[in-house]
Amino acid sequence: MRLIKLSTFTLVLSLLTISSLFAQKQKLTPDDYDQWQSIRSTELSANGEWFGYNINLVDGDGWLTIKKVGTDSTGDHKYMHAERLEFSQDNQWAAFQIGVSENKKEKLEKQDKQVRLKLGLMNLSTTEVDTFKNISSYTFSDNGHYLAMKKYQAEQSKAEGTDLILRNLQEGTNQLIGNVSEYAFNDGSTKLAVLLDAHTTLGNGAHLYDLSTGRITVLDSDTTTYKSLEWSEDGTALAFLKEKEDSDFKNITHQILAFKNIHKSPEKNIFNHHNINNFPDEYRIVDYRNLKWSEDTKTLFFGIMEWEKKEKETKADSTKKDSGGDLDPSNVEVWHWKDDNIQAKQEVLVGQMKQENHLAAWHLDENTFVQIGNEMLEETFLTGNQQYAVGYNPKPYEPTFEEEWKDVYLVDVTSGESKKILEKHEYIRNSPDGKYLQYFKDQNWWVYNIEKGKHINLTKNINTRFQNFTNVNGRKNRRPFGRGEWAEDDRWFIVYDQYDAYKIWADGSKTEKLTSGTQDKIRYRQVRFDYDNKGIAKDETIYFSMYGDESKDRGYARTSKAGQTHTLVYEPKMYNRLTKADSTEHYIYQVQSATDSPDFFHVDYDFADPVALTYTNPQQDNYYWADDEVVTFTNANGEQLEGRLLYPANYDPDKKYPMITYIYEERSQTTHQYSIPTKRNPYNFRRFSSEGYFVFQPDITYELSNPGISAVESVVPAVEKMIDTGMVNKDQIGLTGHSWGAYQTTFIITQTNLFNSAVAGAPLTNMISMYNSVYWNSGTPDANIFEVSQGRFPDPWWKDWDNFVENSPIFQMEGVSTPLLVEFGTQDGAVDFNQGVELYNTMRRMQNPFVMLVYEGENHGLAREENQIDYANRAFQWHEHYLLGKEAPEWITDGLPYLQRPAMKDNGAK
């Protein structure tokens, strides 16, 4: 029973819930899983009076619910297959897209037909809904008076333009604008700009609609293509690109058209790089980087890149083609020892590399050009006031193997002059007003005062550690615990130590500790409601999330006007997803626990008397459902750690139970997390609990160069403590994990006979061959992961041979008695499939109990539903046989011959 919610539901629902308490509960089985719900996305209206959320089912079609805050479930408005809800800023309308059922979607996809969505428009005053067919995207104007709806492209149309419907929401009228490729309202919603791309190209151009008068202004027209519509922040200036071709060059370049004073009499400015003397030869303007206005609308920023000339075909070339005697060019790859990005990484980044460009500036009043980025400063970003840019030069430190060092430069966007301000650093951040650059170095927070050209160490006299000493990963340059926002005037910013938050004044004059979490080991971190704003306003309240490092309690706190921080809510539940209404002091947050399905609640500024907005999974009351708790233990090094223990459903204290131990790194922070049962997850905690297992997730701490040994030193004492409680049958303990957790699972069973079964999904098995492999999903050498990340080997294997061997499962497998099931996808791009093959060949030769499940074409996590269900079922069968003594299916005892595989039998193999 979730008492906190009862006051908000209808009498009928309450009576049903109460009556279920007296009904006979039943065991949850896989046939019951499909009805379980989860909340995917939410939306709160600007005034906080309307709330919408999407419900997903474990199996089945979900829906969108829109409701008035404070009403019971009879006020819910449900729309099947709907998503992407948006409320207008005047709180009068809600728009959402309406799709089709999963079955219909699959049928259309098999027929290579596009799913075309409808748009639902709900009048919040009347709750009536109008629908519009074939709407691909939509946008409300900022004031909520207009809704622009873009239709799908006509089939086989080569033009980007489609019909745009502009609906006047106050008048209820629709205006059709044809051939629109892009559109955007300005700030203030007085204008609508559109770019047109027609099939015949004769009507192409840029038009401006005055929404108050209905007047249409043709800003430019031509038979070419227009792109990259961009309004200035204040809505008074507009810019876009206009394609230009040159027969001597490949690809296209662009002109930039910019219009200032658009609310009065638009001033047309054209940037044609052919007419700019200092524009670099054989460069072009690209559409890969968005145009960006400076705040004062005096400067436009854009991207340029080299312009490749066309090769002129000679008579000899033509003769060779006609003869047909030439071979195709070789597709050889050259893997060079000086490559910074190896070939595999370059292949992953090929699209990005083709679009690499340099930041440039056009100063409109002077009609001058400044190149900001270049071959040395490939990565650049603007400071808060756009007067400077920060550029990174990594070339002195390439190829990189550990930290990604860079020299940091400051570039004047007016003159183009640059100067180096930091050597051998990683990353830097800017303040909202552009006065400072912020960075972490030598265990302290620093700023660089741009005007004075001065570096200031702001935290050297504060008696705490801002460097994240808890993260053991092999990095020599440890990163900080993190940071919060700047003040909007650049006076101060928020940073964190292990538990607390501090205000640090950028001029070094003052420091203020905002929270008091260290004594009780409560971690405070700023909650940001708007990532588009320009910092914390002068009188703005600062909100913090709270997390009990040992208790696992959670909640929220905030600062008062007097500067004190007060707790709003803090209890043994999981609080998250705090959101504030745009224009009022209304808030929503999500609450869950192991026994309480995640739901959303509404509160006002006082955070008192929360009102339930959702009520998911009421059917849970019909089943046995277990709670969890925090377990403390001491590892082999005397360090106190925590773990999460989920009880078996219908727990009887007079019985002993089997236990599944699930490991990764830190897992105790999942305490109070609700587990939705599913047949598609081999590590589903609720399924284990419902079938009579304890599920234990102990934390693991690490020592460098000994990741496997560290796991043993944490996990074994944790499990032994659970055995000592008398609740767990010591002969029925399983171990499982995926990826890094699978590596540790595979290694731990080489060091102890404590576990009676083990399941490992995609484990690292040979640390030496793994070091020399590639993380194919990103193209990154696995050496990076070993030396400065999860592998925790700061030295390469040839300098640390003994530890690499001693922590590799494959070299320790002789004598292993724990039956091990391993899963791999043949296209695993994280842990190479050959890691599984190496282990298989070793275990087969040793004749140790071992089975490997191989899923053709799957990556690091199984994607296809049939494979997910298959692996989950086999993993549970494995544990049931070796822990509970159930009869083993034939695939465990005898394997599965190639021609007996389900897919082969379905294909009629004989």
Side-chain angles (χ1 to χ4, degrees):
M1 173 74 75
R2 290 170 276 186
L3 295 176
I4 191 171
K5 305 173 185 176
L6 285 181
S7 62
T8 66
F9 302 121
T10 63
L11 179 60
V12 173
L13 260 179
S14 298
L15 290 173
L16 286 173
T17 305
I18 293 170
S19 65
S20 69
L21 291 174
F22 302 99
Q24 179 64 45
K25 290 185 181 292
Q26 54 189 307
K27 178 184 175 181
L28 183 69
T29 68
D31 291 338
D32 303 314
Y33 296 169
D34 291 350
Q35 60 188 312
W36 251 259
Q37 306 167 0
S38 61
I39 300 173
R40 188 183 65 206
S41 58
T42 63
E43 192 71 22
L44 185 65
S45 65
N47 62 4
E49 295 182 3
W50 285 90
F51 177 69
Y53 60 97
N54 274 97
I55 288 288
N56 280 6
L57 295 177
V58 168
D59 189 16
D61 294 323
W63 62 87
L64 168 70
T65 297
I66 303 174
K67 67 181 301 175
K68 189 83 177 285
V69 170
T71 60
D72 58 29
S73 60
T74 60
D76 291 356
H77 304 276
K78 295 183 179 181
Y79 306 97
M80 293 298 298
H81 318 127
E83 58 184 2
R84 202 187 157 228
L85 171 67
E86 185 177 334
F87 292 108
S88 63
Q89 283 295 304
D90 64 354
N91 309 293
Q92 299 299 310
W93 303 91
F96 49 90
Q97 289 183 312
I98 305 171
V100 297
S101 69
E102 286 297 320
N103 288 338
K104 187 172 182 180
K105 183 178 179 182
E106 289 177 7
K107 289 179 181 178
L108 290 171
E109 289 175 349
K110 288 179 180 179
Q111 298 170 6
D112 291 327
K113 292 183 178 180
Q114 186 181 24
V115 177
R116 299 206 166 200
L117 306 177
K118 295 187 292 185
L119 182 133
L121 179 62
M122 180 178 179
N123 185 323
L124 297 179
S125 298
T126 65
T127 70
E128 293 179 354
V129 175
D130 290 328
T131 58
F132 301 82
K133 293 182 179 180
N134 298 324
I135 303 297
S136 64
S137 64
Y138 65 94
T139 304
F140 281 112
S141 61
D142 287 346
N143 60 10
H145 295 172
Y146 294 89
L147 176 66
M149 298 175 282
K150 197 167 187 288
K151 306 201 79 171
Y152 288 93
Q153 282 181 276
E155 291 185 9
Q156 300 179 346
S157 172
K158 295 182 180 180
E160 292 293 326
T162 64
D163 287 344
L164 181 77
I165 300 172
L166 179 63
R167 184 170 179 85
N168 185 321
L169 296 170
Q170 294 178 315
E171 302 294 335
T173 57
N174 297 325
Q175 181 179 355
L176 180 65
I177 307 172
N179 303 313
V180 175
S181 57
E182 296 182 36
Y183 67 94
F185 294 101
N186 71 336
D187 183 60
S189 306
T190 59
K191 311 285 186 183
L192 172 69
V194 299
L195 300 182
L196 306 181
D197 188 28
H199 178 66
T200 62
T201 73
L202 289 176
N204 288 5
H207 293 186
L208 184 67
Y209 288 76
D210 188 313
L211 298 177
S212 59
T213 65
R215 180 185 175 187
I216 304 172
T217 302
V218 179
L219 299 175
D220 197 69
S221 64
D222 207 332
T223 57
T224 189
T225 300
Y226 294 80
K227 294 181 179 178
S228 303
L229 199 61
E230 185 68 21
W231 283 101
S232 63
E233 190 171 320
D234 63 2
T236 65
L238 178 69
F240 49 86
L241 298 176
K242 181 179 181 179
E243 285 189 0
K244 290 291 181 182
E245 294 186 11
D246 190 312
S247 58
D248 293 332
F249 291 89
K250 295 180 180 179
N251 306 114
I252 55 174
T253 188
H254 299 81
Q255 289 183 345
I256 306 174
L257 278 69
F259 297 81
K260 297 176 65 175
N261 297 320
I262 214 154
H263 57 298
K264 296 179 181 177
S265 179
E267 303 169 4
K268 187 174 185 177
N269 300 269
I270 301 176
F271 184 87
N272 185 341
H273 63 80
H274 293 291
N275 301 330
I276 303 297
N277 292 331
N278 65 327
F279 195 91
D281 292 339
E282 297 185 6
Y283 267 67
R284 65 189 179 98
I285 297 172
V286 299
D287 58 355
Y288 311 138
R289 185 191 293 262
N290 291 332
L291 296 173
K292 180 177 175 61
W293 285 95
S294 62
E295 287 185 7
D296 58 11
T297 68
K298 293 182 178 180
T299 306
L300 262 172
F301 299 97
F302 56 98
I304 63 173
M305 71 182 301
E306 287 190 43
W307 202 0
E308 187 179 357
K309 275 195 168 184
K310 291 180 180 177
E311 295 181 5
K312 293 183 179 180
E313 187 177 279
T314 66
K315 186 175 182 180
D317 293 331
S318 179
T319 302
K320 286 181 181 180
K321 285 183 181 179
D322 293 340
S323 67
D326 278 5
L327 296 173
D328 289 334
S330 169
N331 196 27
V332 63
E333 295 180 4
V334 178
W335 292 53
H336 196 277
W337 66 278
K338 289 185 178 180
D339 288 340
D340 182 49
N341 286 330
I342 66 172
Q343 290 288 316
K345 177 80 169 185
Q346 294 179 46
E347 183 178 359
V348 170
L349 298 177
V350 64
Q352 178 181 323
M353 290 190 300
K354 286 181 177 180
Q355 297 184 355
E356 283 181 353
N357 60 87
H358 306 313
L359 181 64
W362 172 29
H363 300 288
L364 276 72
D365 292 348
E366 299 83 10
N367 195 30
T368 56
F369 165 82
V370 176
Q371 181 174 343
I372 299 168
N374 50 48
E375 292 299 321
M376 181 180 76
L377 304 180
E378 293 179 353
E379 185 180 354
T380 54
F381 63 89
L382 294 166
T383 59
N385 58 6
Q386 302 99 35
Q387 299 303 304
Y388 294 89
V390 174
Y392 294 135
N393 178 20
K395 297 187 184 302
Y397 311 102
E398 294 176 346
T400 56
F401 299 105
E402 295 177 343
E403 282 86 348
E404 296 182 0
W405 298 121
K406 307 170 182 69
D407 289 340
V408 184
Y409 288 76
L410 189 67
V411 184
D412 187 317
V413 303
T414 301
S415 66
E417 294 179 358
S418 65
K419 64 177 179 178
K420 187 191 299 184
I421 60 171
L422 277 173
E423 288 189 345
K424 201 175 182 182
H425 196 68
E426 284 197 289
Y427 294 100
I428 199 165
R429 299 290 184 268
N430 63 74
S431 60
D433 276 358
K435 299 173 186 175
Y436 300 97
L437 299 175
Q438 174 199 57
Y439 60 98
F440 191 78
K441 180 182 179 183
D442 299 331
Q443 305 182 37
N444 283 286
W445 283 101
W446 297 65
V447 293
Y448 177 76
N449 186 312
I450 294 177
E451 182 180 354
K452 296 180 179 180
K454 182 180 178 182
H455 295 271
I456 310 171
N457 186 334
L458 300 177
T459 58
K460 62 182 178 180
N461 296 322
I462 303 176
N463 186 26
T464 190
R465 299 169 73 181
F466 295 103
Q467 183 186 60
N468 187 352
F469 60 88
T470 66
N471 189 1
V472 177
N473 56 20
R475 290 176 54 89
K476 296 179 179 66
N477 181 43
R478 286 178 178 254
R479 289 173 173 160
F481 278 106
R483 63 186 182 93
E485 282 185 279
W486 276 86
E488 64 179 2
D489 56 6
D490 285 7
R491 284 190 307 141
W492 50 262
F493 57 89
I494 294 174
V495 297
Y496 312 125
D497 65 11
Q498 185 177 10
Y499 294 111
D500 287 307
Y502 297 75
K503 271 187 186 179
I504 308 295
W505 266 252
D507 61 3
S509 63
K510 186 179 177 183
T511 298
E512 180 182 341
K513 188 177 180 183
L514 295 173
T515 61
S516 300
T518 301
Q519 181 176 347
D520 296 321
K521 296 186 177 180
I522 299 174
R523 186 181 68 201
Y524 288 82
R525 297 295 184 258
Q526 185 195 355
V527 176
R528 296 184 63 173
F529 298 122
D530 184 1
Y531 283 84
D532 295 329
N533 65 5
K534 294 189 175 182
I536 302 169
K538 184 176 180 180
D539 298 323
E540 185 177 341
T541 300
I542 303 172
Y543 284 78
F544 296 98
S545 64
M546 300 171 65
Y547 171 70
D549 202 8
E550 293 182 348
S551 68
K552 315 306 173 189
D553 294 356
R554 285 177 170 83
Y556 294 108
R558 70 168 170 233
T559 57
S560 66
K561 292 183 179 179
Q564 301 297 316
T565 299
H566 301 284
T567 299
L568 299 169
V569 59
Y570 184 69
E571 59 180 340
K573 290 180 179 290
M574 185 175 285
Y575 283 80
N576 56 11
R577 299 174 70 173
L578 179 64
T579 303
K580 180 185 176 298
D582 290 343
S583 59
T584 60
E585 296 290 348
H586 289 263
Y587 304 81
I588 60 169
Y589 54 72
Q590 183 175 255
V591 187
Q592 62 183 294
S593 72
T595 58
D596 191 4
S597 180
D599 280 306
F600 280 86
F601 292 80
H602 170 270
V603 290
D604 57 18
Y605 183 78
D606 293 333
F607 268 64
D609 302 321
V611 175
L613 298 174
T614 65
Y615 184 49
T616 54
N617 299 315
Q619 77 282 353
Q620 175 193 312
D621 293 330
N622 299 323
Y623 302 95
Y624 294 115
W625 200 266
D627 206 347
D628 67 355
E629 67 179 14
V630 178
V631 173
T632 60
F633 64 94
T634 303
N635 70 4
N637 298 315
E639 185 178 5
Q640 181 175 303
L641 301 176
E642 293 82 39
R644 181 197 186 192
L645 181 68
L646 179 64
Y647 275 70
N650 197 23
Y651 172 68
D652 182 350
D654 295 326
K655 290 176 57 179
K656 288 190 175 184
Y657 289 85
M659 184 174 79
I660 298 295
T661 306
Y662 178 85
I663 57 175
Y664 193 75
E665 293 188 355
E666 289 188 358
R667 293 294 303 172
S668 63
Q669 74 275 15
T670 65
T671 301
H672 310 312
Q673 188 174 69
Y674 189 84
S675 299
I676 292 178
T678 173
K679 293 177 284 189
R680 297 167 64 166
N681 186 344
Y683 321 111
N684 186 257
F685 311 132
R686 188 55 61 182
R687 181 173 182 178
F688 280 122
S689 171
S690 297
E691 295 184 9
Y693 294 86
F694 277 105
V695 182
F696 186 36
Q697 301 178 66
D699 288 343
I700 300 171
T701 57
Y702 296 92
E703 294 179 356
L704 292 178
S705 298
N706 268 317
I709 299 298
S710 296
V712 174
E713 291 175 344
S714 292
V715 174
V716 170
V719 173
E720 288 176 339
K721 177 164 184 180
M722 289 307 308
I723 294 173
D724 290 343
T725 65
M727 299 186 299
V728 176
N729 187 325
K730 66 180 180 61
D731 297 321
Q732 295 181 320
I733 300 177
L735 183 63
T736 190
H738 191 83
S739 191
W740 186 252
Y743 154 66
Q744 295 171 128
T745 294
T746 308
F747 182 81
I748 287 172
I749 64 172
T750 70
Q751 307 295 304
T752 178
N753 294 324
L754 190 60
F755 298 95
N756 311 103
S757 72
V759 175
L764 296 71
T765 63
N766 182 340
M767 303 304 261
I768 295 173
S769 64
M770 185 69 190
Y771 176 98
N772 290 320
S773 186
V774 172
Y775 197 99
W776 297 104
N777 287 339
S778 65
T780 307
D782 279 323
N784 297 34
I785 297 174
F786 274 77
E787 294 187 33
V788 294
S789 185
Q790 195 170 46
R792 299 179 173 90
F793 285 94
D795 296 313
W797 58 266
W798 58 91
K799 291 185 178 181
D800 197 9
W801 175 269
D802 289 343
N803 282 323
F804 268 81
V805 170
E806 289 174 9
N807 286 271
S808 294
I810 203 166
F811 299 125
Q812 315 297 328
M813 279 294 171
E814 189 174 8
V816 167
S817 61
T818 304
L820 175 62
L821 175 68
V822 164
E823 171 272 330
F824 261 99
T826 59
Q827 299 299 314
D828 194 320
V831 179
D832 195 282
F833 172 51
N834 203 54
Q835 289 288 301
V837 175
E838 287 189 45
L839 183 60
Y840 169 76
N841 285 327
T842 298
M843 298 293 274
R844 180 173 176 271
R845 181 65 180 84
M846 290 179 176
Q847 285 294 285
N848 285 343
F850 177 86
V851 171
M852 183 163 73
L853 306 175
V854 178
Y855 294 94
E856 184 70 31
E858 291 279 18
N859 205 307
H860 195 51
L862 302 181
R864 294 197 286 274
E865 181 179 0
E866 64 272 19
N867 290 338
Q868 294 170 343
I869 293 173
D870 183 84
Y871 176 34
N873 286 339
R874 294 183 193 275
F876 277 92
Q877 289 171 357
W878 187 268
H879 288 306
E880 285 178 335
H881 172 61
Y882 287 107
L883 299 185
L884 306 184
K886 292 189 177 182
E887 183 177 355
E890 286 188 14
W891 69 268
I892 292 179
T893 58
D894 302 322
L896 183 65
Y898 184 86
L899 293 179
Q900 296 300 312
R901 291 159 56 188
M904 297 297 295
K905 295 172 74 174
D906 286 347
N907 289 333
K910 297 181 180 179

